[in-house]
Amino acid sequence: MSLVVGVGARRGVTAREVCDLVAAVLREAGRGPGDVVALATVAAKAGEPGLVEAAARLGVPLRAHPADVLARVRVPHPSDAALAATGTPSVAEAAALAEAVAVAEAVAVARTTGPDGPGGTGRTSGTDRADRADGADRLTGGELLVPKRRSASPGARVTCAVAVAYRGERLPPEGSGYHRGDAVFDLPGAVSNR
């Protein structure tokens, strides 16, 4: 299972604050740090030292998404404060979902190009051959596993949410799942949630 942790943070947040909240949220989800493939945030926060160091401690990349992209992702807990500070009503949830879609798509591409990658031998797994043989148009997407949580420290300087990246024939039966074909999530020309 590939998990993405979306993180929103105030200036000056420490890596310890971020890692403590990430650990608590992963425990809530019944998962561990080894399941996390990336931290994600809004582009304006990508250079925040506490976020950069937290990603390094977790051994995962810190992925940044532009505020206008995140603003188009429908989330269960939009925030006027986040909108005023970053230009998007959600950082943690929207970044987790946006990156989960990117991760799922990257996995789908890697699986269909074979173990040697593009231009390789073209060998694929039996599942991939079956996918192409039956003409299935597999969806890639993300679903919030844990919605936005705030740190317990005074001033709540960090928020995070956990999304799971998936590839399959269907969207999750309920909840906040998204795939590239959703009108609100199709990045080029997407419909705003505002």
Side-chain angles (χ1 to χ4, degrees):
M1 178 178 290
S2 297
L3 301 181
V4 174
V5 178
V7 181
R10 291 188 181 172
R11 180 173 292 141
V13 69
T14 66
R16 181 182 178 102
E17 289 174 278
V18 175
C19 289
D20 285 351
L21 183 59
V22 168
V25 171
L26 289 172
R27 275 193 305 275
E28 180 180 340
R31 304 294 177 194
D35 295 322
V36 177
V37 297
L39 290 186
T41 194
V42 65
K45 297 290 183 175
E48 186 65 41
L51 294 181
V52 172
E53 185 179 337
R57 286 184 185 182
L58 291 167
V60 298
L62 177 61
R63 303 283 190 214
H65 297 271
D68 65 322
V69 169
L70 297 183
R72 293 190 293 257
V73 179
R74 212 175 3 190
V75 296
H77 304 102
S79 162
D80 290 337
L83 179 60
T86 64
T88 177
S90 172
V91 174
E93 290 174 332
L97 286 166
E99 187 60 25
V101 168
V103 166
E105 288 178 343
V107 169
V109 167
R111 289 186 67 205
T112 59
T113 57
D116 297 329
T121 64
R123 292 177 297 191
T124 58
S125 71
T127 301
D128 293 324
R129 285 191 297 274
D131 288 352
R132 283 198 305 275
D134 70 8
D137 183 16
R138 304 292 185 188
L139 299 176
T140 56
E143 179 181 16
L144 283 177
L145 190 58
V146 180
K148 179 173 69 175
R149 299 291 187 254
R150 288 184 177 87
S151 61
S153 63
R157 297 187 334 157
V158 63
T159 60
C160 74
V162 179
V164 60
Y166 69 88
R167 179 174 180 259
E169 296 178 302
R170 58 173 177 70
L171 287 174
E174 56 193 52
S176 44
Y178 295 92
H179 65 86
R180 181 65 74 187
D182 284 340
V184 297
F185 204 81
D186 190 21
L187 302 183
V191 177
S192 175
N193 67 335
R194 291 187 273 161

